[in-house]
Amino acid sequence: ELRDISLELGKRNDRHLGSALSRRRAEVRRPRRSEQVPQVLPLHELHLPTVLHAVDHQCFVPTIDQEQQLFDAAVGGHRGVIARGADHVRARGPLEGRDPARPQENRRAYRELLFQAPGLEGHISGVIVHPEALAWRVAGGELMGELLQARGIAVGVKLDLGLAELEGGGPGEQRTKGLEGLAARAREGARAGASFAKWRAVLKIEPAAEGRGALPSEAAVQRNAEDLAAYALECQREGLVPIVEPEILLDGDHGVERTAEVTERVLSRLFAELRARGVDLQATVLKPCMVMPGTGRQAEAGPEEVARWTVATFKKCVPSEVAGVVFLSGGQSEELATRNLNAIAREAESTGAPWELSFSYGRALQASVLRAWGGQEERVGDAQRVSLALASANASAREGRFEGPHPTAA
């Protein structure tokens, strides 16, 4: 009986938190385009806690100004997000001038190159890093996070712990590790200056085969939706804006219709779980794939068709109150990711889509930067110019204003 009472109090607390955040969000004006880069404060300086008591749990309810700061950090007012900064500094290929046996030092050098690029803050609002990077210092002794925040760029932290085999799923299906100890990691990230967080789930599309149905399986869709929702709620309890990333891999020979069908199924289930747990959608950012054919048939759909399928599918399953949608590049080439985003922004504008759209790219913002750098100190300036050009192209594309040529065009 006591357990039932505790669970009910917990549910009431989550509903109270969600409704309080919703009331705050309703009063927050989304930012207009401005030449001035908004100041992003460390989260520990934003805290003015309102404590809600339920089973000895304390929840943070942001003030209106804090909600605006968190919104700017995650969605970015006409800018975008760099995902997995320095994750790609692993292979020997791009690092011909550095010792590949020292990966941490190589990643540190690359992060300094990337985050100190002149003018980056005009096009990038946030950077997602591994927790280790929050404690790193640049050559001048400044913490990496402080360097970014001083430039008006918010810091996000990756909170998942990678992928593991999904018991009861289909062949090769996976779940995301990291729910155990999540609250402590989220709290530590917030104390270290993070404003938002990210959790990546992965699903795959495959046709039915002998002895099994088509993928993704019901087990994979449900488990990943539940875990993303649990993560999102924990982030909001700790004052972080959660980015939920249900990545649907593009590997395969399926057409765009099949991708649309799976996307609607996955996102519908995700938002059902988010609502069921009392997650405030107005303080949640979705990071999805674009709706496009599998890699074996990618040439069948140009940017305009990808845009039509993406916007039409999202209108069926993405609630209008979601704070923002930041697309992942999902293995697309740098140019294709920009052109597809540009077409989606135009389609969204012409059809009255309700969401704030942006980008959260990894390789599509960094592959050419790594090649230009090559691990050589004398090429840092060249690499930073490439980085700025890619960021600028995608910042224009998120508003449907990219005309080309693309920075990677020969």
Side-chain angles (χ1 to χ4, degrees):
E1 186 176 0
L2 286 173
R3 177 180 176 276
D4 291 341
I5 292 172
S6 296
L7 287 173
E8 180 58 30
L9 284 172
K11 290 176 182 176
R12 290 179 186 175
N13 182 59
D14 293 341
R15 287 196 297 269
H16 190 179
L17 173 62
S19 62
L21 285 170
S22 296
R23 288 195 300 273
R24 298 294 192 191
R25 171 61 67 203
E27 302 174 58
V28 174
R29 177 184 61 80
R30 292 192 174 187
R32 296 182 182 276
R33 184 168 181 80
S34 170
E35 296 302 318
Q36 183 177 4
V37 177
Q39 181 186 16
V40 180
L41 299 176
L43 198 66
H44 68 270
E45 293 183 18
L46 298 177
H47 278 183
L48 295 174
T50 297
V51 178
L52 306 175
H53 295 281
V55 199
D56 296 326
H57 184 77
Q58 294 183 336
C59 293
F60 165 59
V61 180
T63 66
I64 294 173
D65 289 343
Q66 291 167 344
E67 275 284 282
Q68 185 68 67
Q69 289 276 0
L70 297 176
F71 178 84
D72 289 340
V75 183
H78 307 281
R79 298 180 290 164
V81 175
I82 295 178
R84 299 164 60 205
D87 258 20
H88 311 303
V89 187
R90 299 176 187 272
R92 291 173 179 265
L95 300 177
E96 59 198 50
R98 301 187 71 85
D99 182 359
R102 304 177 67 189
Q104 190 173 76
E105 288 77 3
N106 293 339
R107 288 198 297 274
R108 187 197 304 269
Y110 176 68
R111 281 193 177 108
E112 290 192 27
L113 173 161
L114 190 66
F115 300 160
Q116 292 179 322
L120 189 68
E121 65 274 15
H123 311 293
I124 296 298
S125 64
V127 174
I128 301 169
V129 298
H130 278 265
E132 65 176 19
L134 295 174
W136 283 4
R137 295 183 182 273
V138 298
E142 192 176 15
L143 285 170
M144 196 79 71
E146 292 174 352
L147 168 70
L148 290 166
Q149 289 162 347
R151 304 185 65 185
I153 299 174
V155 180
V157 61
K158 177 182 180 291
L159 289 181
D160 69 75
L161 300 180
L163 303 172
E165 180 182 354
L166 174 63
E167 292 185 20
E173 289 193 310
Q174 297 173 305
R175 63 174 179 85
T176 306
K177 300 182 293 184
L179 288 180
E180 185 176 350
L182 174 61
R185 297 199 307 279
R187 193 173 305 120
E188 184 59 32
R191 287 173 179 165
S195 300
F196 63 100
K198 192 200 79 160
W199 179 285
R200 174 178 178 254
V202 174
L203 299 108
K204 58 194 296 188
I205 299 177
E206 287 186 8
E210 185 176 354
R212 66 162 176 85
L215 302 182
S217 67
E218 175 63 20
V221 173
Q222 183 62 31
R223 175 61 185 269
N224 282 294
E226 290 175 355
D227 289 355
L228 281 165
Y231 141 83
L233 182 59
E234 204 62 65
C235 282
Q236 290 183 351
R237 283 174 167 166
E238 300 301 334
L240 295 174
V241 171
I243 294 181
V244 292
E245 181 181 352
E247 180 175 1
I248 300 170
L249 300 177
L250 293 176
D251 302 334
D253 294 321
H254 52 277
V256 66
E257 298 89 349
R258 176 62 176 153
T259 305
E261 174 189 334
V262 171
T263 298
E264 182 179 352
R265 178 184 168 205
V266 167
L267 295 184
S268 295
R269 189 71 57 84
L270 171 61
F271 285 108
E273 288 295 328
L274 290 168
R275 289 188 190 278
R277 290 177 182 262
V279 174
D280 177 32
L281 299 185
Q282 296 182 18
T284 301
V285 175
L286 173 67
K287 181 174 177 177
C289 296
M290 300 171 186
V291 178
M292 54 198 306
T295 52
R297 297 171 59 179
Q298 209 164 86
E300 294 181 4
E304 287 71 27
E305 186 170 2
V306 168
R308 286 193 295 272
W309 277 99
T310 300
V311 174
T313 302
F314 282 21
K315 282 185 173 182
K316 296 177 182 178
C317 55
V318 179
S320 59
E321 63 264 37
V322 169
V325 175
V326 294
F327 289 101
L328 59 89
S329 52
Q332 300 177 68
S333 70
E334 291 160 302
E335 181 169 3
L336 186 60
T338 301
R339 295 196 180 279
N340 282 339
L341 177 64
N342 192 61
I344 290 170
R346 291 179 177 179
E347 178 74 8
E349 177 70 22
S350 67
T351 61
W355 323 282
E356 188 83 11
L357 301 180
S358 188
F359 60 94
S360 177
Y361 290 168
R363 287 183 178 85
L365 281 175
Q366 299 177 69
S368 290
V369 179
L370 277 167
R371 285 194 293 270
W373 176 45
Q376 300 186 37
E377 188 66 31
E378 63 271 20
R379 288 158 59 178
V380 165
D382 293 338
Q384 289 179 328
R385 283 186 285 274
V386 173
S387 175
L388 186 62
L390 288 169
S392 175
N394 285 289
S396 295
R398 67 158 286 183
E399 298 184 54
R401 295 191 296 104
F402 176 73
E403 300 295 341
H406 195 267
T408 61

